[in-house]
Every structure is written in structure tokens, then in C-alpha cells.
Amino acid sequence: MVSTIIKRELSRQLLLETGLKLFSEKGYEATSIRAIAKEACISLGLMYNYFTSKEDLLREIFLSGQYDIEASFATEQTSDSGITGIEQHILNTVALLKEKREFWRLLHSLRMQSTIYQEMKSPIDKQIAYIQKMIERNLLEIGFKNPSQEALLLFASLDGIASHFLMDKTYPIDKMANYLIQKYKNSSNYE
Amino acid sequence: MVSTIIKRELSRQLLLETGLKLFSEKGYEATSIRAIAKEACISLGLMYNYFTSKEDLLREIFLSGQYDIEASFATEQTSDSGITGIEQHILNTVALLKEKREFWRLLHSLRMQSTIYQEMKSPIDKQIAYIQKMIERNLLEIGFKNPSQEALLLFASLDGIASHFLMDKTYPIDKMANYLIQKYKNSSNYE
DNA sequence: AATTACTGAACGAACGTTCAATCAAAGTAT
DNA sequence: ATACTTTGATTGAACGTTCGTTCAGTAATT
């Protein structure tokens, strides 16, 4: 009985991973249940034992990905080594982008279209607002005169860098991160 | 005979506009030919007199949009008023985003997914590389030490700002543009 | 023996696409 | 001007395919 529960969870995880992989590659609409079943080496109907529909699978993939990211951002401020909060945030963002590449690709490809994404939008928006506030606090700490405007800019810059990295694996994301960090180290003197 | 040609071109334009509208709203895959025909108040089959397939319609929409944008960026350097090339570029980008919002939404929603977009990618990449070079030249002019790296950052920042504006009409894009411009005016002294 | 995991044929709906038929407009002959 | 002809624009029923989803049946596990 116990191993059944474990096995069930394993099958569920396999479907979540395979779904994420194909959704992020080809897009949600262009990926069929048949393609997911084939990729995961299971039968066509099995998905419906774990998820009520294709949309439900997407929802659960989102939920699972969000949980990981939330956890990562939550522990961000704990580390109090010599580096600033901004530096920590930038490095953390880059690490997350690399680690959860498929999830971010899915997010970036879905967020522009209204119908499917709109119902999953609200928790993500909350998370974004939270990150925004965190950046603002960190910018205020290093003496920025206009932290809310600068936070908006930094957020957009990081988002743009993320987009380019998600579209092109060879994008020099580490160089960009270091360049950004350097900028904020230098600018802390005169802003 | 002449009016027939004009009529044909008008019908074609109507389909291009309606297709762009729906593709940018709901996404390419999620938009059916039937939906386009209904929105344009024409019959189901008429699209196939002007375009060979749904994909061909998308291709032509892209081509048409690209042409407009190319034209706008090409005339960018001509204006030699008191403002710098960077300022001109930022203002021009914002103006284009507002004017061709639907096209940019379509581009941003398609560029992450491989299959459909990949064949239209090459001309767009060329255009991006050209803009990148232009930014670099402008950055060099105002005395940046590392123009190619800075151009990569400015490009990402503008792309991020664009994404946020495309997702949210109330995004303060003008404020962001002015803030960016101010940054580059001030930083020209010590970079 | 009982419970759960899994299969894949089958279903209705929706899709992109085709095409014979209809309509509107322009050209030509009377 | 009027009638006939020709041409191209437009229609929507119909076709084959694929989609998401269901479910009776089979295999595996307890």
C-alpha cells in the first residue's frame, strides 16, 4: 500500500516533468496529450488518472514551479555575507533561470496570451510585487534617491536579460549579471 | 478592372489586420480560421483566395509588420536636433511600441516557441543585430568604455520594459523612457 | 480476492482546407 | 440603353485529420 502511494507520486511527477518539457518547447496549445503520453512512454488515457484535464496539468505544472521559485526567493535575504542585497538578488535570479529554465520558458511564452494564463496570473503577480518591494528596499539601503523607479528599471532589465537567455542558451548571462552588479556598486556613490 | 485590384488589396488588408488582432490577443495556435473570418465578417473559405494557408497568413502579417518597423528604424539617425542618438533611439522604440502594439505582442508571444517562429527568425535576427550595432555606435559617441556590453544591457532593458508594457497597458512606459534617457545623460561624464 | 494502475479503441467536437455553386461587376455586342 | 458574356470575388457544405476526453477491459500489486 505504501509503495503504491510512492509509485503514484512518481507517475505524477513524470507527467509533470514531461508536460513541462513539451509545453516549454512547443507551447501549450501546440502540444497534444498524445505527444506527452508518447514522450513519457505511457498510454494515452493515463494522464486522466492524475489530472482532470490538459488545463489542470498545466495548472499543476505552474503550481509546482512557482513553489520552487517562491522557496528560493524567500531564503534570499538570509545570507548576510559581504555582498549587498542587490548583488544577492541578481545572482539568485540568474541561478534560478539556469536551474528552472523550462519553467521560465513556459511562463514567458504564456504570459502574453490572455485566455489560459489569466487565471494563474494572480499568484504570480503577488510574487512579482513582493520581489519588486524587495528590490526597492535593497536599493534604498545602498542610497538610491528614487528606489521605486529604479526597482522598476532593474526588474525590467533582469526580465529582458532573462528573455534573451531563455531564447538563446549561449547568451552571456553571467557576464551580464556581473556587469549589472558592477553598475550598482559604482552608482551607489552618487545617486 | 482597376477598382477590382483595389478591392482585392482592401480585402487582403482586412484579413491581415484581423489576423494580427486575433493572433496577438489569443495566440496563433488558439486562433482559428473560423474566428478570423467571423471577426472580419467574411466567409470561411475566402482567406484561401488571398493566402495559401494559415501559416502563410502569419508569415505575411510578420512581413508587413517588419516592413513598417524597418522603415522607422532606418530613418532614425536622420534627425540631428540637439538630442543624442541614444535618446532618439529610446524615444523611437517607445513610439513604435505604442503604434504597433499588436505586432509586438505577436512577436513576443511567438519568439519563445520553436516550430512556427523559427523560419521567420532570420530576418528579425538581422534587424536586431543592426539595431544592436546602432546602439553601440551611439554609446561610443557619448564616451562609453564598454559600448558592446552596455548595448547588450540597454537592449535587454528596453526589451524588458517593452514586455511589461505589452502585458499591461497602464505600465508607465514614458516615465521609464525618460528615466533611462536621464541615466544615459548623466553617466556620459564618467564612464 | 480485492484494489489499484494502466491500456487503447472509440466518441464527438473542432480544426485547416477544398471546391462546386453563386453572386457582382466589367467588357462587349446589339 | 439593353442584353449577353466573361471574369473574378465570395460562399458555406463537406472532407479528412487531429484533438481532448471517456471508459470498458486488462495487468499488476497487495
Side-chain angles (χ1 to χ4, degrees):
Chain A
M1 193 57 123
V2 174
S3 84
T4 303
I5 294 170
I6 291 171
K7 197 178 181 189
R8 185 170 173 81
E9 186 53 31
L10 279 176
S11 292
R12 212 186 103 96
Q13 280 299 324
L14 174 65
L15 275 165
L16 287 175
E17 281 167 28
T18 310
L20 173 57
K21 182 181 177 224
L22 295 190
F23 286 161
S24 80
E25 266 174 24
K26 318 250 186 195
Y28 172 74
E29 303 280 353
T31 302
S32 67
I33 302 294
R34 280 164 181 80
I36 296 174
K38 197 174 180 182
E39 176 79 18
C41 297
I42 58 170
S43 75
L44 172 58
L46 188 55
M47 194 208 77
Y48 292 91
N49 275 14
Y50 298 98
F51 307 96
T52 66
S53 66
K54 187 188 179 187
E55 202 175 318
D56 184 45
L57 173 61
L58 177 66
R59 216 189 325 272
E60 294 296 320
I61 288 171
F62 251 95
L63 224 65
S64 159
Q66 249 181 267
Y67 177 79
D68 294 343
I69 285 162
E70 207 164 336
S72 171
F73 273 113
T75 60
E76 193 176 301
Q77 59 234 21
T78 55
S79 153
D80 44 5
S81 41
I83 62 177
T84 65
I86 289 293
E87 184 169 357
Q88 169 84 9
H89 177 77
I90 293 172
L91 292 174
N92 188 39
T93 300
V94 169
L96 261 177
L97 274 170
K98 288 177 176 174
E99 200 185 335
K100 305 279 171 190
R101 197 166 199 273
E102 285 178 343
F103 174 78
W104 287 112
R105 274 182 63 90
L106 179 59
L107 182 63
H108 275 241
S109 75
L110 275 185
R111 65 182 184 176
M112 199 71 70
Q113 285 149 28
S114 40
T115 20
I116 330 152
Y117 177 67
Q118 227 52 294
E119 38 179 316
M120 313 172 194
K121 203 173 173 292
S122 131
I124 291 174
D125 280 350
K126 270 182 203 148
Q127 213 168 316
I128 288 174
Y130 172 73
I131 295 171
Q132 198 82 22
K133 277 282 164 212
M134 223 165 67
I135 295 177
E136 249 183 80
R137 222 182 314 119
N138 287 328
L139 287 170
L140 195 64
E141 257 177 38
I142 60 174
F144 262 86
K145 262 201 303 217
N146 203 340
S148 90
Q149 179 104 32
E150 184 68 34
L152 224 53
L153 176 59
L154 176 54
F155 191 56
S157 299
L158 283 172
D159 204 1
I161 289 170
S163 277
H164 294 168
F165 169 67
L166 293 171
M167 284 188 288
D168 173 16
K169 266 195 174 174
T170 71
Y171 187 78
I173 190 167
D174 291 312
K175 239 167 94 177
M176 295 303 291
N178 289 329
Y179 188 64
L180 249 189
I181 290 171
Q182 223 54 45
K183 280 211 146 209
Y184 279 100
K185 273 188 181 162
N186 294 339
S187 70
S188 67
N189 305 324
Y190 36 71
E191 280 293 340
Chain B
M1 190 59 120
V2 172
S3 83
T4 303
I5 293 171
I6 291 171
K7 198 177 180 189
R8 185 169 174 81
E9 187 53 33
L10 279 176
S11 292
R12 213 184 101 97
Q13 281 297 326
L14 175 64
L15 275 165
L16 287 174
E17 280 167 30
T18 311
L20 174 57
K21 182 181 177 225
L22 294 190
F23 286 161
S24 80
E25 266 176 22
K26 318 251 185 196
Y28 172 74
E29 304 280 354
T31 302
S32 67
I33 302 295
R34 280 164 180 81
I36 296 173
K38 196 174 179 184
E39 176 79 21
C41 297
I42 58 170
S43 76
L44 173 57
L46 189 55
M47 195 209 75
Y48 292 92
N49 274 18
Y50 299 97
F51 307 95
T52 66
S53 66
K54 188 187 178 186
E55 203 175 316
D56 184 45
L57 173 61
L58 178 64
R59 216 188 326 273
E60 294 297 321
I61 287 172
F62 251 96
L63 225 65
S64 159
Q66 250 180 266
Y67 177 78
D68 294 342
I69 286 163
E70 208 163 336
S72 172
F73 274 113
T75 60
E76 193 175 302
Q77 59 234 19
T78 55
S79 152
D80 45 5
S81 40
I83 61 177
T84 66
I86 289 294
E87 184 170 356
Q88 168 85 8
H89 177 76
I90 292 171
L91 291 174
N92 189 39
T93 300
V94 169
L96 261 177
L97 274 169
K98 287 177 176 174
E99 198 185 335
K100 304 279 172 191
R101 195 165 201 273
E102 285 177 344
F103 175 78
W104 288 111
R105 274 182 63 89
L106 179 58
L107 182 63
H108 274 241
S109 75
L110 275 186
R111 65 182 185 177
M112 199 71 72
Q113 285 150 28
S114 39
T115 20
I116 330 150
Y117 176 67
Q118 227 52 296
E119 40 179 311
M120 311 170 193
K121 206 176 172 289
S122 132
I124 292 173
D125 280 350
K126 269 182 204 147
Q127 212 168 320
I128 287 175
Y130 173 73
I131 294 170
Q132 197 81 24
K133 278 281 163 215
M134 223 166 68
I135 295 178
E136 250 183 78
R137 220 181 316 120
N138 287 327
L139 287 169
L140 195 63
E141 257 178 40
I142 60 173
F144 263 85
K145 260 200 305 215
N146 203 341
S148 90
Q149 179 103 34
E150 184 66 33
L152 224 52
L153 176 61
L154 176 54
F155 190 57
S157 299
L158 282 172
D159 203 0
I161 289 171
S163 277
H164 294 170
F165 169 68
L166 293 172
M167 285 187 289
D168 174 16
K169 265 193 174 172
T170 70
Y171 187 79
I173 190 165
D174 291 313
K175 239 168 93 177
M176 294 303 291
N178 289 328
Y179 188 63
L180 249 188
I181 289 170
Q182 223 52 46
K183 280 212 145 207
Y184 280 99
K185 273 189 180 161
N186 293 337
S187 70
S188 68
N189 304 326
Y190 37 71
E191 279 294 338

